[in-house]
Amino acid sequence: MSIVFEGHLTLDNMSSHVPHTFTLPPGVETLRARFTHSPTHPGVGDIPHQISVSLYGPAGPRGTRHNNVDQSVWISTRQASPGIVPGTPEPGTWQIEIDVHRILPPGNVSYRLEIDWAQTETFQPVDPLVPLTGQRRRGPGWYRGDLHGHTIHSDGQLSVAEYLQYAVERGYDFVALTDHNTVTGLPELDRRAGEAITIIGGTELTTYNGHALVLGTRELVDWRVRDGETMSGRAEALTDEGKLFVIAHPKAEGHPFCTGCRWAFSDLMPGPARHIEVWNRFWSERTHNEESVYLFYRWLNAGYRMVATAGTDTHRRAATGGRTAANVVYAHDNTQDEILAGIRAGHSFISSGPELRLSAQGADGGKAGMGQAMAAGRLTLRCDWAGVGEDGLVAGLIRRGRRIESWTCGEAGAGTLEVDAEDGDWFVCELRDRTAGLHAITNPIHVGTAPDIWR
């Protein structure tokens, strides 16, 4: 059986979902949908149109084929194309949505969607899966890892095995997989990792108005925002479920270079969101990470108790020696739940290599570390650093977004400063080079007992 849908997409279809519904009879074991569009490029400039497809069955979403060279999908009882969750195609009403992320002038893109099914199962031979050997470090301690990356299950160029190997080469204790609008790479990643490295489930909600990481999930999360819905409502619901919602690269370059990448949800500035990715990919002007740090500081000044994170946003092996950052987290154990608990609490710093800590002690002997709070009064702030090398870095103590003290760093050392802290103050420590490029940043120590203004 075969059904064909044809149509045209214009500039008016930008940032929309174009649905096509069909009905499957009982007994189907394989469903295929071949999607093509022409032209794939507007004919001028370097940027192509960006159109993806998402599949929905009677029981709910089955995944997205996001921004891949081959936008066709198939699904059967035990296997499916990357981005699509396998499982017997149930009888009833199905829907394929064409997700129009970017149409560039002059528009007028024609498409063809050919759907067919069979009562036999498609099964493709696969190579035997061999888990990594070794045992990851466990117990209380500091753990280093990545929270943002992609494979061929969305628009990455790395297989799941290659993605895992890259994380091991980087020396990570944990790594998340956050393919765009899907989670289908995670089962293979879990099996391949064995006990050698902690895998954090996740997905990147890749919407028309911004991207957000959902960490701690191995289930599909609806990335669409329909009439009557809000992204802040979605974020609050996910947070209540115990997931971590992270605003990704909020100041990234937007349309047309990276359509949808810049954060533009007016109800999430930051609304119930409490985690913000301030270091995405390489540290450079092109990635707009400095602007994300300033946004982090601005939200802290507004009374939101935010937590900063980093993500390599890996899509392929890095072609240059640019400076990426890892999340260094204090956790009670090297497991997904404990790593996420440490990040949720802000017991972490971000670094391209050096170690960096911030602590505070009050006149009464009370102490606090990153992510914690102290009562107003006389405080001694201490920045500790190590592994700085010979780069001539400068450690800066930041109070409410302004540097109030700095120390030229040796390979290892510490700097202290006494301050009279007031309610609403917050402090972080930065490591920067002579050109003001960031090498590490802590999460804040807060001052005062006032609750987070949202919660």
mmCIF file of all heavy atoms in Angstrom, residues 37-43 47-51 67 102-109:
data_model
loop_
_atom_site.group_PDB
_atom_site.id
_atom_site.type_symbol
_atom_site.label_atom_id
_atom_site.label_comp_id
_atom_site.label_asym_id
_atom_site.label_seq_id
_atom_site.Cartn_x
_atom_site.Cartn_y
_atom_site.Cartn_z
ATOM 1 N N HIS A 37 12.586 17.192 -0.825
ATOM 2 C CA HIS A 37 12.131 18.523 -1.181
ATOM 3 C C HIS A 37 13.115 19.141 -2.170
ATOM 4 O O HIS A 37 14.300 18.790 -2.208
ATOM 5 C CB HIS A 37 11.963 19.410 0.054
ATOM 6 C CG HIS A 37 13.239 19.710 0.780
ATOM 7 N ND1 HIS A 37 13.814 18.848 1.690
ATOM 8 C CD2 HIS A 37 14.057 20.798 0.752
ATOM 9 C CE1 HIS A 37 14.920 19.378 2.186
ATOM 10 N NE2 HIS A 37 15.091 20.570 1.625
ATOM 11 N N SER A 38 12.609 20.064 -2.975
ATOM 12 C CA SER A 38 13.424 20.682 -4.018
ATOM 13 C C SER A 38 12.931 22.109 -4.278
ATOM 14 O O SER A 38 11.709 22.341 -4.312
ATOM 15 C CB SER A 38 13.329 19.856 -5.307
ATOM 16 O OG SER A 38 14.107 20.437 -6.319
ATOM 17 N N PRO A 39 13.856 23.058 -4.421
ATOM 18 C CA PRO A 39 15.301 22.883 -4.272
ATOM 19 C C PRO A 39 15.679 22.800 -2.791
ATOM 20 O O PRO A 39 14.951 23.308 -1.933
ATOM 21 C CB PRO A 39 15.876 24.140 -4.913
ATOM 22 C CG PRO A 39 14.819 25.181 -4.679
ATOM 23 C CD PRO A 39 13.503 24.455 -4.778
ATOM 24 N N THR A 40 16.797 22.164 -2.514
ATOM 25 C CA THR A 40 17.274 22.087 -1.134
ATOM 26 C C THR A 40 18.015 23.356 -0.730
ATOM 27 O O THR A 40 18.284 23.564 0.451
ATOM 28 C CB THR A 40 18.204 20.885 -0.957
ATOM 29 O OG1 THR A 40 19.308 20.992 -1.867
ATOM 30 C CG2 THR A 40 17.452 19.581 -1.234
ATOM 31 N N HIS A 41 18.356 24.177 -1.708
ATOM 32 C CA HIS A 41 19.117 25.399 -1.485
ATOM 33 C C HIS A 41 18.435 26.542 -2.220
ATOM 34 O O HIS A 41 17.914 26.341 -3.327
ATOM 35 C CB HIS A 41 20.552 25.215 -1.999
ATOM 36 C CG HIS A 41 21.514 26.265 -1.548
ATOM 37 N ND1 HIS A 41 21.557 27.518 -2.113
ATOM 38 C CD2 HIS A 41 22.464 26.261 -0.578
ATOM 39 C CE1 HIS A 41 22.499 28.243 -1.519
ATOM 40 N NE2 HIS A 41 23.056 27.505 -0.590
ATOM 41 N N PRO A 42 18.388 27.745 -1.659
ATOM 42 C CA PRO A 42 17.684 28.847 -2.329
ATOM 43 C C PRO A 42 18.344 29.319 -3.609
ATOM 44 O O PRO A 42 17.743 30.084 -4.369
ATOM 45 C CB PRO A 42 17.677 29.952 -1.268
ATOM 46 C CG PRO A 42 18.848 29.658 -0.406
ATOM 47 C CD PRO A 42 18.939 28.162 -0.350
ATOM 48 N N GLY A 43 19.596 28.917 -3.834
ATOM 49 C CA GLY A 43 20.276 29.303 -5.067
ATOM 50 C C GLY A 43 21.235 30.454 -4.904
ATOM 51 O O GLY A 43 22.025 30.734 -5.803
ATOM 52 N N ILE A 47 23.713 29.136 2.726
ATOM 53 C CA ILE A 47 22.851 28.490 3.714
ATOM 54 C C ILE A 47 21.682 27.807 3.020
ATOM 55 O O ILE A 47 20.945 28.436 2.251
ATOM 56 C CB ILE A 47 22.340 29.528 4.729
ATOM 57 C CG1 ILE A 47 23.526 30.234 5.388
ATOM 58 C CG2 ILE A 47 21.465 28.860 5.785
ATOM 59 C CD1 ILE A 47 23.133 31.414 6.223
ATOM 60 N N PRO A 48 21.463 26.505 3.281
ATOM 61 C CA PRO A 48 20.349 25.792 2.657
ATOM 62 C C PRO A 48 19.045 25.999 3.415
ATOM 63 O O PRO A 48 19.027 26.540 4.527
ATOM 64 C CB PRO A 48 20.798 24.325 2.741
ATOM 65 C CG PRO A 48 21.598 24.284 4.010
ATOM 66 C CD PRO A 48 22.308 25.607 4.094
ATOM 67 N N HIS A 49 17.947 25.557 2.805
ATOM 68 C CA HIS A 49 16.707 25.431 3.557
ATOM 69 C C HIS A 49 16.906 24.358 4.636
ATOM 70 O O HIS A 49 17.724 23.450 4.475
ATOM 71 C CB HIS A 49 15.557 25.019 2.632
ATOM 72 C CG HIS A 49 15.348 25.932 1.468
ATOM 73 N ND1 HIS A 49 15.135 27.284 1.612
ATOM 74 C CD2 HIS A 49 15.312 25.689 0.125
ATOM 75 C CE1 HIS A 49 14.971 27.840 0.419
ATOM 76 N NE2 HIS A 49 15.080 26.893 -0.496
ATOM 77 N N GLN A 50 16.166 24.448 5.721
ATOM 78 C CA GLN A 50 16.258 23.437 6.782
ATOM 79 C C GLN A 50 14.854 22.935 7.102
ATOM 80 O O GLN A 50 14.048 23.632 7.711
ATOM 81 C CB GLN A 50 16.920 24.001 8.038
ATOM 82 C CG GLN A 50 17.122 22.959 9.129
ATOM 83 C CD GLN A 50 17.754 23.519 10.379
ATOM 84 O OE1 GLN A 50 18.447 24.531 10.329
ATOM 85 N NE2 GLN A 50 17.514 22.882 11.517
ATOM 86 N N ILE A 51 14.595 21.705 6.674
ATOM 87 C CA ILE A 51 13.268 21.102 6.826
ATOM 88 C C ILE A 51 13.447 19.695 7.378
ATOM 89 O O ILE A 51 14.267 18.927 6.876
ATOM 90 C CB ILE A 51 12.525 21.054 5.472
ATOM 91 C CG1 ILE A 51 12.471 22.456 4.853
ATOM 92 C CG2 ILE A 51 11.120 20.492 5.644
ATOM 93 C CD1 ILE A 51 12.000 22.462 3.410
ATOM 94 N N ASN A 67 17.230 17.463 10.528
ATOM 95 C CA ASN A 67 18.322 18.106 9.793
ATOM 96 C C ASN A 67 19.378 17.107 9.344
ATOM 97 O O ASN A 67 20.578 17.389 9.398
ATOM 98 C CB ASN A 67 18.959 19.197 10.655
ATOM 99 C CG ASN A 67 19.773 20.179 9.834
ATOM 100 O OD1 ASN A 67 19.533 20.352 8.640
ATOM 101 N ND2 ASN A 67 20.744 20.834 10.464
ATOM 102 N N ARG A 102 13.560 26.439 8.429
ATOM 103 C CA ARG A 102 14.097 27.580 7.682
ATOM 104 C C ARG A 102 13.752 27.451 6.192
ATOM 105 O O ARG A 102 14.075 26.453 5.550
ATOM 106 C CB ARG A 102 15.619 27.649 7.849
ATOM 107 C CG ARG A 102 16.272 28.808 7.096
ATOM 108 C CD ARG A 102 17.745 28.926 7.447
ATOM 109 N NE ARG A 102 18.495 27.728 7.121
ATOM 110 C CZ ARG A 102 19.354 27.114 7.950
ATOM 111 N NH1 ARG A 102 19.576 27.613 9.151
ATOM 112 N NH2 ARG A 102 20.002 26.031 7.578
ATOM 113 N N ILE A 103 13.076 28.473 5.682
ATOM 114 C CA ILE A 103 12.881 28.662 4.248
ATOM 115 C C ILE A 103 13.461 30.032 3.911
ATOM 116 O O ILE A 103 13.137 31.027 4.563
ATOM 117 C CB ILE A 103 11.389 28.618 3.855
ATOM 118 C CG1 ILE A 103 10.805 27.227 4.097
ATOM 119 C CG2 ILE A 103 11.220 29.024 2.389
ATOM 120 C CD1 ILE A 103 11.218 26.198 3.088
ATOM 121 N N LEU A 104 14.321 30.071 2.935
ATOM 122 C CA LEU A 104 14.969 31.324 2.561
ATOM 123 C C LEU A 104 14.431 31.838 1.228
ATOM 124 O O LEU A 104 13.977 31.038 0.386
ATOM 125 C CB LEU A 104 16.485 31.111 2.455
ATOM 126 C CG LEU A 104 17.179 30.746 3.786
ATOM 127 C CD1 LEU A 104 18.606 30.320 3.541
ATOM 128 C CD2 LEU A 104 17.129 31.926 4.748
ATOM 129 N N PRO A 105 14.443 33.150 1.015
ATOM 130 C CA PRO A 105 13.974 33.701 -0.253
ATOM 131 C C PRO A 105 14.735 33.081 -1.427
ATOM 132 O O PRO A 105 15.929 32.808 -1.297
ATOM 133 C CB PRO A 105 14.279 35.199 -0.119
ATOM 134 C CG PRO A 105 14.317 35.444 1.361
ATOM 135 C CD PRO A 105 14.891 34.191 1.945
ATOM 136 N N PRO A 106 14.079 32.798 -2.536
ATOM 137 C CA PRO A 106 12.707 33.231 -2.862
ATOM 138 C C PRO A 106 11.608 32.265 -2.426
ATOM 139 O O PRO A 106 10.452 32.422 -2.814
ATOM 140 C CB PRO A 106 12.762 33.308 -4.388
ATOM 141 C CG PRO A 106 13.725 32.234 -4.771
ATOM 142 C CD PRO A 106 14.781 32.229 -3.707
ATOM 143 N N GLY A 107 11.928 31.253 -1.622
ATOM 144 C CA GLY A 107 10.908 30.319 -1.165
ATOM 145 C C GLY A 107 10.499 29.348 -2.265
ATOM 146 O O GLY A 107 11.329 28.913 -3.071
ATOM 147 N N ASN A 108 9.200 28.994 -2.269
ATOM 148 C CA ASN A 108 8.661 28.114 -3.302
ATOM 149 C C ASN A 108 9.403 26.783 -3.374
ATOM 150 O O ASN A 108 10.009 26.437 -4.391
ATOM 151 C CB ASN A 108 8.687 28.806 -4.673
ATOM 152 C CG ASN A 108 7.817 30.056 -4.685
ATOM 153 O OD1 ASN A 108 6.727 30.057 -4.111
ATOM 154 N ND2 ASN A 108 8.305 31.117 -5.310
ATOM 155 N N VAL A 109 9.368 26.044 -2.277
ATOM 156 C CA VAL A 109 9.988 24.725 -2.194
ATOM 157 C C VAL A 109 8.907 23.668 -2.379
ATOM 158 O O VAL A 109 7.895 23.675 -1.656
ATOM 159 C CB VAL A 109 10.689 24.537 -0.831
ATOM 160 C CG1 VAL A 109 11.248 23.124 -0.710
ATOM 161 C CG2 VAL A 109 11.786 25.576 -0.659
#
